[in-house]
mmCIF file of all heavy atoms in Angstrom:
data_model
loop_
_atom_site.group_PDB
_atom_site.id
_atom_site.type_symbol
_atom_site.label_atom_id
_atom_site.label_comp_id
_atom_site.label_asym_id
_atom_site.label_seq_id
_atom_site.Cartn_x
_atom_site.Cartn_y
_atom_site.Cartn_z
ATOM 1 N N MET H 96 3.373 17.670 -0.063
ATOM 2 C CA MET H 96 4.523 16.929 -0.587
ATOM 3 C C MET H 96 5.307 16.334 0.581
ATOM 4 O O MET H 96 5.658 15.172 0.583
ATOM 5 C CB MET H 96 5.465 17.866 -1.338
ATOM 6 C CG MET H 96 4.971 18.164 -2.725
ATOM 7 S SD MET H 96 5.469 16.843 -3.805
ATOM 8 C CE MET H 96 5.072 17.517 -5.382
ATOM 9 N N ILE H 178 23.791 13.453 -50.687
ATOM 10 C CA ILE H 178 22.337 13.517 -50.457
ATOM 11 C C ILE H 178 21.732 14.670 -51.261
ATOM 12 O O ILE H 178 20.738 14.507 -51.965
ATOM 13 C CB ILE H 178 22.039 13.699 -48.958
ATOM 14 C CG1 ILE H 178 22.402 12.422 -48.194
ATOM 15 C CG2 ILE H 178 20.579 14.046 -48.717
ATOM 16 C CD1 ILE H 178 22.386 12.581 -46.683
ATOM 17 N N ALA H 184 18.833 15.823 -58.327
ATOM 18 C CA ALA H 184 18.609 14.981 -59.509
ATOM 19 C C ALA H 184 17.176 14.456 -59.515
ATOM 20 O O ALA H 184 16.515 14.446 -60.550
ATOM 21 C CB ALA H 184 19.593 13.824 -59.522
ATOM 22 N N ASN H 185 16.681 14.062 -58.337
ATOM 23 C CA ASN H 185 15.310 13.598 -58.264
ATOM 24 C C ASN H 185 14.325 14.669 -58.675
ATOM 25 O O ASN H 185 13.339 14.400 -59.351
ATOM 26 C CB ASN H 185 14.974 13.135 -56.844
ATOM 27 C CG ASN H 185 15.603 11.808 -56.520
ATOM 28 O OD1 ASN H 185 16.089 11.116 -57.410
ATOM 29 N ND2 ASN H 185 15.599 11.446 -55.257
ATOM 30 N N SER H 211 -7.918 28.082 -84.417
ATOM 31 C CA SER H 211 -9.042 28.893 -83.965
ATOM 32 C C SER H 211 -8.667 29.830 -82.841
ATOM 33 O O SER H 211 -9.189 29.756 -81.744
ATOM 34 C CB SER H 211 -10.186 27.979 -83.513
ATOM 35 O OG SER H 211 -9.668 27.043 -82.607
ATOM 36 N N LEU H 233 15.082 27.900 -71.214
ATOM 37 C CA LEU H 233 15.343 28.753 -70.061
ATOM 38 C C LEU H 233 16.777 28.639 -69.556
ATOM 39 O O LEU H 233 17.158 29.331 -68.640
ATOM 40 C CB LEU H 233 14.384 28.397 -68.920
ATOM 41 C CG LEU H 233 12.896 28.698 -69.145
ATOM 42 C CD1 LEU H 233 12.069 28.152 -68.007
ATOM 43 C CD2 LEU H 233 12.675 30.190 -69.280
ATOM 44 N N ILE H 239 17.335 36.219 -74.259
ATOM 45 C CA ILE H 239 15.948 36.520 -73.973
ATOM 46 C C ILE H 239 15.186 36.434 -75.299
ATOM 47 O O ILE H 239 15.667 36.886 -76.338
ATOM 48 C CB ILE H 239 15.823 37.946 -73.381
ATOM 49 C CG1 ILE H 239 16.588 38.026 -72.050
ATOM 50 C CG2 ILE H 239 14.370 38.358 -73.216
ATOM 51 C CD1 ILE H 239 16.780 39.422 -71.515
ATOM 52 N N LEU H 241 11.568 36.905 -77.557
ATOM 53 C CA LEU H 241 10.229 37.461 -77.636
ATOM 54 C C LEU H 241 9.480 36.748 -78.755
ATOM 55 O O LEU H 241 9.915 36.759 -79.901
ATOM 56 C CB LEU H 241 10.343 38.972 -77.933
ATOM 57 C CG LEU H 241 9.018 39.741 -78.055
ATOM 58 C CD1 LEU H 241 8.231 39.693 -76.759
ATOM 59 C CD2 LEU H 241 9.305 41.190 -78.443
ATOM 60 N N ALA H 256 16.537 43.242 -70.919
ATOM 61 C CA ALA H 256 15.880 43.823 -72.081
ATOM 62 C C ALA H 256 14.687 44.650 -71.615
ATOM 63 O O ALA H 256 14.047 44.329 -70.627
ATOM 64 C CB ALA H 256 15.410 42.738 -73.040
ATOM 65 N N LYS H 257 14.452 45.760 -72.373
ATOM 66 C CA LYS H 257 13.269 46.568 -72.064
ATOM 67 C C LYS H 257 12.346 46.478 -73.252
ATOM 68 O O LYS H 257 12.753 46.775 -74.385
ATOM 69 C CB LYS H 257 13.657 48.031 -71.853
ATOM 70 C CG LYS H 257 14.202 48.296 -70.476
ATOM 71 C CD LYS H 257 14.444 49.796 -70.332
ATOM 72 C CE LYS H 257 15.309 50.061 -69.127
ATOM 73 N NZ LYS H 257 15.974 51.367 -69.203
ATOM 74 N N GLN H 288 4.594 36.364 -76.273
ATOM 75 C CA GLN H 288 5.185 35.697 -75.126
ATOM 76 C C GLN H 288 6.621 36.135 -74.930
ATOM 77 O O GLN H 288 7.384 36.223 -75.890
ATOM 78 C CB GLN H 288 5.130 34.195 -75.384
ATOM 79 C CG GLN H 288 5.413 33.401 -74.146
ATOM 80 C CD GLN H 288 5.608 31.950 -74.468
ATOM 81 O OE1 GLN H 288 6.418 31.320 -73.849
ATOM 82 N NE2 GLN H 288 4.899 31.416 -75.442
ATOM 83 N N ILE H 298 12.199 44.134 -68.506
ATOM 84 C CA ILE H 298 11.106 44.997 -68.080
ATOM 85 C C ILE H 298 10.148 45.119 -69.277
ATOM 86 O O ILE H 298 10.547 45.422 -70.392
ATOM 87 C CB ILE H 298 11.605 46.391 -67.677
ATOM 88 C CG1 ILE H 298 12.611 46.264 -66.533
ATOM 89 C CG2 ILE H 298 10.441 47.280 -67.270
ATOM 90 C CD1 ILE H 298 13.333 47.548 -66.202
ATOM 91 N N LEU H 299 8.905 44.840 -69.015
ATOM 92 C CA LEU H 299 7.916 44.780 -70.069
ATOM 93 C C LEU H 299 6.811 45.785 -69.769
ATOM 94 O O LEU H 299 6.260 45.792 -68.663
ATOM 95 C CB LEU H 299 7.341 43.355 -70.102
ATOM 96 C CG LEU H 299 6.180 43.034 -71.005
ATOM 97 C CD1 LEU H 299 6.571 43.159 -72.466
ATOM 98 C CD2 LEU H 299 5.687 41.609 -70.716
ATOM 99 N N VAL H 309 10.312 41.192 -65.124
ATOM 100 C CA VAL H 309 10.269 39.750 -65.284
ATOM 101 C C VAL H 309 11.601 39.169 -64.795
ATOM 102 O O VAL H 309 12.668 39.537 -65.300
ATOM 103 C CB VAL H 309 10.049 39.358 -66.761
ATOM 104 C CG1 VAL H 309 9.916 37.848 -66.902
ATOM 105 C CG2 VAL H 309 8.818 40.063 -67.319
ATOM 106 N N LYS H 325 -11.880 42.607 -69.611
ATOM 107 C CA LYS H 325 -10.899 42.150 -68.618
ATOM 108 C C LYS H 325 -9.525 41.965 -69.219
ATOM 109 O O LYS H 325 -9.381 41.766 -70.426
ATOM 110 C CB LYS H 325 -11.378 40.887 -67.899
ATOM 111 C CG LYS H 325 -11.355 39.641 -68.736
ATOM 112 C CD LYS H 325 -11.788 38.455 -67.862
ATOM 113 C CE LYS H 325 -12.011 37.247 -68.727
ATOM 114 N NZ LYS H 325 -12.700 36.183 -68.059
ATOM 115 N N THR H 351 -0.207 28.434 -62.597
ATOM 116 C CA THR H 351 -0.746 27.083 -62.618
ATOM 117 C C THR H 351 -1.729 26.846 -61.493
ATOM 118 O O THR H 351 -2.684 26.101 -61.630
ATOM 119 C CB THR H 351 0.368 26.039 -62.472
ATOM 120 O OG1 THR H 351 1.226 26.450 -61.431
ATOM 121 C CG2 THR H 351 1.127 25.874 -63.758
ATOM 122 N N ARG H 379 1.367 47.551 -52.858
ATOM 123 C CA ARG H 379 0.337 48.587 -52.740
ATOM 124 C C ARG H 379 -1.003 48.061 -53.195
ATOM 125 O O ARG H 379 -1.046 47.113 -53.995
ATOM 126 C CB ARG H 379 0.666 49.789 -53.662
ATOM 127 C CG ARG H 379 1.829 50.626 -53.251
ATOM 128 C CD ARG H 379 1.861 51.913 -54.074
ATOM 129 N NE ARG H 379 2.039 51.685 -55.508
ATOM 130 C CZ ARG H 379 3.226 51.530 -56.089
ATOM 131 N NH1 ARG H 379 4.330 51.550 -55.351
ATOM 132 N NH2 ARG H 379 3.336 51.337 -57.390
ATOM 133 N N GLY H 380 -2.065 48.729 -52.762
ATOM 134 C CA GLY H 380 -3.391 48.400 -53.259
ATOM 135 C C GLY H 380 -3.945 47.144 -52.634
ATOM 136 O O GLY H 380 -3.676 46.855 -51.468
ATOM 137 N N THR H 386 -7.213 30.056 -55.534
ATOM 138 C CA THR H 386 -6.347 28.945 -55.912
ATOM 139 C C THR H 386 -7.223 27.837 -56.477
ATOM 140 O O THR H 386 -8.418 27.809 -56.234
ATOM 141 C CB THR H 386 -5.583 28.397 -54.697
ATOM 142 O OG1 THR H 386 -6.516 27.824 -53.801
ATOM 143 C CG2 THR H 386 -4.795 29.489 -54.014
ATOM 144 N N ILE H 387 -6.573 26.938 -57.198
ATOM 145 C CA ILE H 387 -7.368 25.882 -57.822
ATOM 146 C C ILE H 387 -7.867 24.873 -56.796
ATOM 147 O O ILE H 387 -8.730 24.069 -57.069
ATOM 148 C CB ILE H 387 -6.562 25.138 -58.925
ATOM 149 C CG1 ILE H 387 -5.237 24.623 -58.360
ATOM 150 C CG2 ILE H 387 -6.353 26.010 -60.133
ATOM 151 C CD1 ILE H 387 -4.540 23.650 -59.287
ATOM 152 N N ASN H 405 1.927 22.850 -51.248
ATOM 153 C CA ASN H 405 1.359 21.541 -50.969
ATOM 154 C C ASN H 405 -0.079 21.610 -50.480
ATOM 155 O O ASN H 405 -0.474 20.950 -49.519
ATOM 156 C CB ASN H 405 2.189 20.806 -49.916
ATOM 157 C CG ASN H 405 3.588 20.571 -50.387
ATOM 158 O OD1 ASN H 405 3.806 20.224 -51.551
ATOM 159 N ND2 ASN H 405 4.554 20.793 -49.518
ATOM 160 N N ASP H 467 26.481 41.046 -61.785
ATOM 161 C CA ASP H 467 27.738 40.279 -61.712
ATOM 162 C C ASP H 467 27.507 38.832 -62.116
ATOM 163 O O ASP H 467 26.392 38.318 -62.059
ATOM 164 C CB ASP H 467 28.282 40.294 -60.282
ATOM 165 C CG ASP H 467 28.789 41.657 -59.893
ATOM 166 O OD1 ASP H 467 29.146 42.435 -60.800
ATOM 167 O OD2 ASP H 467 28.825 41.948 -58.679
ATOM 168 N N TYR H 486 33.725 24.082 -58.040
ATOM 169 C CA TYR H 486 32.747 23.699 -59.041
ATOM 170 C C TYR H 486 33.052 22.286 -59.462
ATOM 171 O O TYR H 486 34.167 21.971 -59.853
ATOM 172 C CB TYR H 486 32.830 24.658 -60.240
ATOM 173 C CG TYR H 486 31.804 24.413 -61.278
ATOM 174 C CD1 TYR H 486 30.482 24.794 -61.071
ATOM 175 C CD2 TYR H 486 32.128 23.796 -62.474
ATOM 176 C CE1 TYR H 486 29.522 24.579 -62.039
ATOM 177 C CE2 TYR H 486 31.165 23.558 -63.444
ATOM 178 C CZ TYR H 486 29.859 23.960 -63.214
ATOM 179 O OH TYR H 486 28.902 23.739 -64.155
ATOM 180 N N ASN H 487 32.060 21.433 -59.341
ATOM 181 C CA ASN H 487 32.310 20.024 -59.606
ATOM 182 C C ASN H 487 31.094 19.388 -60.249
ATOM 183 O O ASN H 487 30.006 19.393 -59.667
ATOM 184 C CB ASN H 487 32.638 19.344 -58.264
ATOM 185 C CG ASN H 487 33.211 17.963 -58.469
ATOM 186 O OD1 ASN H 487 33.367 17.515 -59.619
ATOM 187 N ND2 ASN H 487 33.506 17.294 -57.387
ATOM 188 N N VAL H 490 27.850 21.315 -60.174
ATOM 189 C CA VAL H 490 27.345 21.762 -58.878
ATOM 190 C C VAL H 490 28.385 22.640 -58.195
ATOM 191 O O VAL H 490 29.574 22.297 -58.170
ATOM 192 C CB VAL H 490 27.054 20.541 -57.958
ATOM 193 C CG1 VAL H 490 26.423 20.996 -56.650
ATOM 194 C CG2 VAL H 490 26.141 19.547 -58.662
ATOM 195 N N ILE H 493 29.796 24.661 -51.541
ATOM 196 C CA ILE H 493 30.303 25.704 -50.673
ATOM 197 C C ILE H 493 30.601 25.129 -49.304
ATOM 198 O O ILE H 493 29.753 24.493 -48.689
ATOM 199 C CB ILE H 493 29.277 26.844 -50.582
ATOM 200 C CG1 ILE H 493 29.133 27.401 -51.995
ATOM 201 C CG2 ILE H 493 29.740 27.922 -49.624
ATOM 202 C CD1 ILE H 493 28.079 28.408 -52.151
#
Side-chain angles (χ1 to χ4, degrees):
Chain H
M96 280 277 190
I178 291 170
N185 285 347
S211 51
L233 293 174
I239 298 169
L241 180 62
K257 279 185 195 159
Q288 193 191 144
I298 301 171
L299 173 66
V309 184
K325 72 177 170 193
T351 45
R379 289 192 297 275
T386 66
I387 54 168
N405 299 318
D467 290 336
Y486 184 75
N487 193 0
V490 184
I493 298 174

